[in-house]
Amino acid sequence: MNAELRDEVQPTPLKLRWLNLCFAALTIGAGLLAYDEGLRQKMHRVAPDAIEMLAQTIAVDISQRYHGTRGYVGRSEVLQTLLDGGVTGRQNLIDKFGLTYPENGERPELIEKAIKDALALKDLPEATFGNQKLFAPDANDPGFVDYLSLSFDLFGFQVSAFFYFYFLVFGISVALFLLCYHADALPLLVLSIAVVALLTLLDSQLFTNVNLRTIHNQRFLGSLCLVPYLHLLFTFLVYRRPSWTRVVVTVLQAALLTLLMFARSSSFWMILSLVAIAGVNAYFRLGRSYVETRLKRLATFAFSWPSFLVIGGLVCSLAYKTVTLHPIYNLDIYIPYHMVWHNAYMGLGVHPEWKERGDKHKGKPIPDALTDNMAWMGAVAEGDERYGITEAYLNNNVIGGFPAPRIRLHEQLIRDRFLRFVLHNPRFALEVYLWYKPKMFFQELLWAFEGYRWSLGTMLCQVALLALGASAWRLLAIPDDVRKTLSTALIVTGVMSLIPVVWTYPLRHVVGEQFLIWIAIVLYFATFLLSEAWSRVRPLVPRHA
């Protein structure tokens, strides 16, 4: 579709510009209600879980600000001060406060006091990994340090800074989208759907889960990528005319998407989704009916100006990491991203017959299915069986300020064990990926909405969206090929969004981003089907192919 650099849909006619205004107003109103709902649930007073990772991230930021560390590593003294101050999940360190985990994460005054104590540290001695005065975070995205750092810069060293910064970034992405597509009702409809979907999700009980708790949890930060992703999607498929305003605003959205993926690397599925959408459009020849080979259509996407923006952002991100990261990340101890094979192996524990049919070591099943310990013990078993490596060797007690696993080595061991188990047990693996993980996903979705809070503001936004969406499809002369292409792209997006949770495990604290996307898809098709039903009763605007 759209092989030439022109728009496939013309701007909304002047007599229907009220639709644009309504969609923009609905987007802003739903966004403000989402912000207010977060405040009502006191999300701005909650430290996001996992709290130990939060402590490490804050310690790296403070160390880089005031103690001269570079490359996303921190001072051990700063981290220990935060842990001793209650920013931890270790019960022995929070007993003195008369609290139990996770209560400490809901005491902002405790967290802020610990941060203040860490900021007060002065004149620290020379630090190296050799003298154990430096540490590196345990397998996390370094961009999360930048996210927290910017939060502190703008809103001060307080827990609520994370919440406010989330909505600031969300507001910026929405504003850029409105600036680019203010004259076009179709993308404004999709934007309002995304924002109403976020508001709808906030009224569920998803965020009551102790491992999530708040919208600015790193496990949900990928939700901030959705609006930039939709912006790029429209430039790929429908609005390819490169006006100066459109190019500049799209550059900013691409940069924002890249920065957010640096903080939440699992959102890389969105890049894969754009590639998949290009492939589907090329293979099935979706779009205008002119004759064009599949290869030429695929090249049209690959060499379009939005593609160069995305590729440029990824190259810059990779180059930045290569230049900036501390050399310690090149050893077999630390990795600057979330564990991939560790989580994949954990996901095998979704199968209810893991103890009977799952992985075994010395005739006994690997214990603690669907927990981190399951993967740690799997790596220990792999090291013992194949290399004669003891469990002690897999732990680092020499380099860095805190004992930690040799995570890069751990990833290599658990990767080999995972691949071999899947190869030797294909039926078990198929049952996990084709039945038990999808089943768990839908069970978690039902749990999230079984106690749904029907707030008046959310219901008004949902009703307004359905009415306006149905009116837009009915009144606007949107070509059938555009409808088909956009609908297909959103379905592909939904399917591709499941890659992270199918690869790992669809537990409720990690599926929030997927729930958001699928709620948006359901709302999109609800407006479309409602307009179809309306048109069958009272036809109004004939479609133009």
Side-chain angles (χ1 to χ4, degrees), residues 164 218 230-231 295 307 334 353 370 469 490:
Y164 298 144
Q218 190 183 10
L230 292 173
H231 185 121
L295 183 60
S307 295
Y334 307 106
E353 297 181 7
L370 208 56
L490 292 177

Side-chain angles (χ1 to χ4, degrees), residues 226-241:
L226 180 56
V227 173
Y229 169 82
L230 292 173
H231 185 121
L232 289 168
L233 185 64
F234 275 104
T235 61
F236 271 110
L237 298 179
V238 184
Y239 299 96
R240 293 186 62 205
R241 183 173 57 84

